[in-house]
Amino acid sequence: QVQLVESGGGLVQPGGSLRLSCAASGSILSIGDMGWYRQAPGKERELVATITKDGRTNYQDSVKGRFTISRDDAKNTAYLQMNSLKPEDAAVYYCNAEISTRHYKNVERWGQGTLVTISS
């Protein structure tokens, strides 16, 4: 059973920083693209950042220069470093990854989400 587990969310003041982690576990052969998405109350889920297996990154315009996505394939983990946080960054952040096992190839998996609250 493959699982993605996010951690690192919490309450932070505007201008502060948080580092989210997404750890994949189970009988994983490989992980392709990984990404972070977020969903604020009353809004649709939106892409925040993605990273390919060879390290190419893509960011939503509103987070460019403030957020950095990275991955450690030895740990099957993706990270999202979030700096200069703004109230509009508050949301539930979800991890997404393309997972391959011996039973299937490149199947999208989602984590359960981690809540980021921005408040002074």
Side-chain angles (χ1 to χ4, degrees):
Q1 183 81 4
V2 173
Q3 284 189 317
L4 297 181
V5 178
E6 300 100 332
S7 60
L11 172 64
V12 64
Q13 292 185 342
S17 298
L18 282 175
R19 189 193 195 208
L20 306 183
S21 298
C22 169
S25 63
S27 301
I28 297 169
L29 292 181
S30 67
I31 301 177
D33 293 355
M34 302 184 79
W36 288 95
Y37 293 72
R38 67 187 180 188
Q39 187 167 19
K43 295 187 176 181
E44 293 187 354
R45 189 173 296 189
E46 63 179 6
L47 181 146
V48 177
T50 60
I51 184 167
T52 65
K53 191 169 180 64
D54 58 4
R56 285 175 287 129
T57 59
N58 180 57
Y59 296 93
Q60 180 193 111
D61 284 346
S62 70
V63 307
K64 285 180 180 177
R66 300 188 298 121
F67 291 11
T68 302
I69 188 171
S70 61
R71 61 191 287 168
D72 183 341
D73 289 335
K75 296 180 179 180
N76 286 340
T77 299
Y79 305 96
L80 186 68
Q81 178 66 44
M82 306 188 294
N83 299 327
S84 303
L85 283 161
K86 303 176 180 180
E88 53 264 39
D89 294 318
V92 177
Y93 283 70
Y94 297 92
C95 176
N96 170 277
E98 294 179 342
I99 303 290
S100 295
T101 70
R102 63 186 184 97
H103 299 294
Y104 53 80
K105 186 175 182 180
N106 292 337
V107 173
E108 258 193 340
R109 294 290 187 185
W110 290 89
Q112 82 290 347
T114 185
L115 178 64
V116 172
T117 304
I118 317 291
S119 177
S120 54

